[in-house]
Amino acid sequence: MCAYQTLFHDDNTGYVVRCAECEKIQLGFGNLVMTFARDDFDAFRWWLQKVKNEQRHENSPSLRCILIPTPCDGMRLLLSARELNDFDKMLEEADSELRSLELLKLFNERS
């Protein structure tokens, strides 16, 4: 049974949690729920930042026109610039919390 640690939570944006036992990371954003291993979470976060940095901000921030490919053939995420920024911010804050927990774990192991 999983024992979740909350890495990020916002009622309007979503959540990121990690199981303290199996160390899988689950994120919920809008109507999406995804589960990652740590390396896959880092790769997805990097990919999302890359897509965000390549965007031109000519369109309305609420217009869903940004396609984000996924490893599943024929499945893509469709986000607005605002949603993409919120998603990126959520993952960044979760990553910071995750790194803090990993540092604390290292200090506790040395004690």
Side-chain angles (χ1 to χ4, degrees), residues 1-84:
M1 177 168 245
C2 290
Y4 290 110
Q5 299 170 308
T6 300
L7 305 175
F8 177 90
H9 178 264
D10 181 277
D11 287 339
N12 296 318
T13 306
Y15 69 88
V16 182
V17 295
R18 178 181 74 156
C19 175
E21 294 180 26
C22 70
E23 297 190 353
K24 296 281 186 182
I25 299 168
Q26 183 180 85
L27 62 93
F29 181 80
N31 62 353
L32 301 171
V33 175
M34 296 178 261
T35 304
F36 297 100
R38 177 69 163 116
D39 291 344
D40 294 333
F41 175 76
D42 289 339
F44 180 74
R45 194 172 54 80
W46 176 86
W47 179 249
L48 198 70
Q49 285 177 339
K50 182 178 184 306
V51 170
K52 180 184 163 200
N53 292 335
E54 292 174 352
Q55 294 304 307
R56 294 188 180 97
H57 300 288
E58 300 167 359
N59 296 322
S60 167
S62 60
L63 179 64
R64 286 190 172 142
C65 60
I66 302 168
L67 284 173
I68 301 174
T70 68
C72 299
D73 193 31
M75 183 176 152
R76 294 176 187 85
L77 306 179
L78 179 62
L79 302 174
S80 69
R82 182 176 293 128
E83 290 169 330
L84 181 57

